[in-house]
Amino acid sequence: MSRLPKISGRECVKSLYKTGFYFKRQEGSHIIIRRDNPFAQLVVPDHKELDRGTLRAIIRQSGLSLEEFNKLL
C-alpha cells in the first residue's frame, strides 16, 4: 500500500484539476471544487499541510485510489 504524501491543500487541488475537477468557489480557507461527470463536489482546506485523515477522505470522495492520486502528483 502506498503512503500518503504530505502536501498542501493547493497541491491537492492542482492534482485533482487533472482529473476533471474545476474551481467552484472559496469560502474562507476552504476551496470547493466540482466535477460534472461523474458528479462529485469536494471541499479542500487551504492549509500548508493537510492532515492524513483529511487527505484520505478527499481522495476517497474523489473516486480515486491512493496509487492513482500519487501518480497525479
Side-chain angles (χ1 to χ4, degrees):
M1 184 169 163
S2 298
R3 293 180 52 98
L4 281 173
K6 293 189 180 210
I7 61 172
S8 70
R10 289 187 189 254
E11 289 173 316
C12 179
V13 168
K14 284 181 186 178
S15 63
L16 289 170
Y17 282 165
K18 297 175 187 175
T19 63
F21 282 91
Y22 61 90
F23 179 82
K24 176 78 170 153
R25 66 181 184 273
Q26 183 165 352
E27 295 182 13
S29 66
H30 291 82
I31 302 167
I32 292 92
I33 59 175
R34 177 181 271 185
R35 178 180 62 201
D36 291 328
N37 194 7
F39 180 79
Q41 184 165 300
L42 303 174
V43 178
V44 181
D46 187 15
H47 297 164
K48 289 183 181 179
E49 185 176 316
L50 294 176
D51 289 334
R52 284 184 288 160
T54 303
L55 181 58
R56 188 176 300 278
I58 291 168
I59 294 170
R60 184 179 60 245
Q61 291 170 9
S62 71
L64 298 172
S65 70
L66 190 54
E67 291 79 20
E68 291 170 331
F69 183 78
N70 283 331
K71 287 180 186 176
L72 294 173
L73 296 173

